[in-house]
Amino acid sequence: MKDGFTTSFNQVGNSYKTRIQGIGKYGLLAAFIIICLALSLLTPRFLTVQNLMIIVTQVSINALLAFGVTFVIITGGIDLSIGSMVAVTGVVAASFAHPDTFPVAVPLLAGLLAGVAFGAFNGFVITRSNVPPFIVTLGTMTIGRGLALILSKGRPISNLSDAFNFIGGGKVLGVPTLILILVVVFIGCTVLLRKTVLGRYMYAVGGNEQAARASGIRIGVVKMAVYTLCGGLAALAGMLLTSRITTGQPNAGAGFELDAIAAAIIGGTSTSGGTGTMTGTLIGALLIGVISNGLDLLNVTSYYQQVVMGIIIIGAVVLDGLHKKNNS
C-alpha cells in the first residue's frame, strides 16, 4: 500500500516537473502567440502589415541593446550604463555628421569607438576591482549622462547630413533599414554565442566561475569582451536612434537599460548567469513591443502599460526560479 502511494506520488511529481520544463521551454513563444491573437481580436488595426512593420521598427533599438546586455547577463553580470551610452555615442556621432564636413563613415566610426571605449572601461573596472557590476555600471551611467551634456553643451545637435539620417530612417526595397540591421545583428550575435569559443566561455563563466577558472578559462578576458561587445551594440543603437530622430539628444536613452534588461529576462536569460539565447531575447523584445503597441491601440494610458510590464517581468523571473528549482 505504501509502495503504491509512493509510486503515485512520484508520478505526480514527475508530471509537475514535465509541465514546468515545458513552460520554461515553450511558454514565452506560446505567450507571444496568444497575446498577438488576443490583440488581433480586440483591435482590427493590430494585425496589419503596416502596424507589424511599425512594431518591429520601434523594437529594433531596444533589441540591439538587449542583445548586448544578454551577453553580459549570461556571464553573471549586469550593465546599467547602456542607456547613457546611447546618449553619449549619439552626441559624438552627431558632432561629426553635419553636411559637407566628413564622410558618413567618420561619425559612425567615432560613435562606435566611443561605445567600445565606454564598454571596455566598464569591463576594466569590474575585472580589476572587487566592486560588483551593478555598482560600477550605476556609476558609469551617471558619468555617461554628464559626458553627453558636456559634449553637447546641454543642447540637441541638429543639422545632420542626409546620408547619416538615411541609416536609421531610410528604406531599402520598402523595408526600413532598422529592421534590416536588426536581422543582421541578430544573426551575428547568435553565431557568436552558439558557434564560437567565446560564446561557450560566456556560458561557462556564468554557470560556474570557479570551475571555469579551474579549467583554464581567463575570466577577466571573457568579461572584458562581453562588456566591450555590449558597449559596441549600445553605440550602434545610439547612432541609429540619432539618425532616426535626425538629432543628437543628450537626454536620449533614459530608461532604455531597463527595457533591454527586461527583454533579456523575459526571453529566458537567467539573472544568475549561465543561461540565455538571442532568440529568446528577440522574442522578449518583440513581446514588450507588441504589448506596448496593443495597449496604445486600445487607448490604454502609459501608466497602466508600466504596471503590466512590471507584472510580466516578475512573472518571467518567478518562472525562471521554478525552472531552476525543478532542474536542481
Side-chain angles (χ1 to χ4, degrees):
M1 184 68 182
K2 186 177 179 181
D3 291 342
F5 174 78
T6 302
T7 302
S8 299
F9 182 79
N10 288 336
Q11 287 176 345
V12 171
N14 290 334
S15 175
Y16 171 75
K17 288 182 178 180
T18 302
R19 288 180 186 178
I20 292 296
Q21 286 175 340
I23 292 172
K25 195 171 182 180
Y26 302 110
L28 176 65
L29 184 59
F32 180 72
I33 294 172
I34 290 170
I35 289 172
C36 287
L37 289 174
L39 289 173
S40 64
L41 293 174
L42 290 171
T43 169
R45 292 180 294 168
F46 175 76
L47 204 58
T48 62
V49 174
Q50 182 182 7
N51 188 54
L52 294 178
M53 199 81 82
I54 290 173
I55 292 173
V56 180
T57 303
Q58 291 177 338
V59 159
S60 299
I61 302 294
N62 183 36
L64 294 176
L65 292 170
F67 292 156
V69 85
T70 297
F71 286 128
V72 174
I73 296 176
I74 285 175
T75 62
I78 195 73
D79 192 342
L80 299 177
S81 65
I82 53 178
S84 297
M85 281 192 251
V86 167
V88 173
T89 56
V91 166
V92 170
S95 301
F96 293 93
H98 297 302
D100 302 323
T101 53
F102 299 101
V104 70
V106 174
L108 294 178
L109 186 60
L112 184 62
L113 287 175
V116 167
F118 207 112
F121 179 75
N122 277 337
F124 178 79
V125 176
I126 289 167
T127 55
R128 297 291 178 177
S129 68
N130 292 322
V131 181
F134 176 84
I135 302 298
V136 173
T137 56
L138 186 64
T140 52
M141 178 178 74
T142 306
I143 293 172
R145 285 287 160 211
L147 280 177
L149 290 168
I150 292 170
L151 293 172
S152 66
K153 299 179 181 175
R155 292 173 296 191
I157 300 175
S158 56
N159 188 30
L160 309 183
S161 69
D162 291 338
F164 183 81
N165 291 334
F166 176 81
I167 297 169
K171 291 184 178 180
V172 177
L173 300 176
V175 180
T177 52
L178 278 177
I179 296 179
L180 297 174
I181 293 171
L182 173 64
V183 172
V184 172
V185 174
F186 167 70
I187 294 172
C189 289
T190 301
V191 171
L192 175 62
L193 193 58
R194 299 183 60 180
K195 301 293 184 182
T196 67
V197 174
L198 178 60
R200 291 195 290 274
Y201 283 0
M202 291 179 196
Y203 286 115
V205 171
N208 189 327
E209 188 169 320
Q210 291 182 343
R213 182 178 286 107
S215 63
I217 295 175
R218 299 174 66 183
I219 307 297
V221 173
V222 175
K223 289 188 176 181
M224 275 289 292
V226 296
Y227 282 99
T228 304
L229 267 173
C230 189
L233 288 168
L236 179 60
M239 291 186 290
L240 290 174
L241 178 64
T242 300
S243 171
R244 189 183 179 201
I245 63 177
T246 68
T247 308
Q249 291 281 356
N251 295 320
F256 281 21
E257 61 277 351
L258 299 181
D259 289 340
I261 293 169
I265 293 174
I266 291 171
T269 304
S270 175
T271 52
S272 57
T275 307
T277 65
M278 289 300 162
T279 303
T281 296
L282 179 61
I283 297 176
L286 288 172
L287 184 62
I288 292 174
V290 162
I291 292 173
S292 179
N293 176 269
L295 294 178
D296 282 339
L297 293 178
L298 294 171
N299 296 321
V300 176
T301 66
S302 60
Y303 308 138
Y304 289 99
Q305 293 184 26
Q306 294 177 22
V307 173
V308 171
M309 207 57 65
I311 292 172
I312 291 174
I313 293 170
I314 292 172
V317 174
V318 170
L319 190 61
D320 177 53
L322 288 173
H323 191 56
K324 284 181 192 169
K325 186 177 179 182
N326 180 58
N327 287 337
S328 63

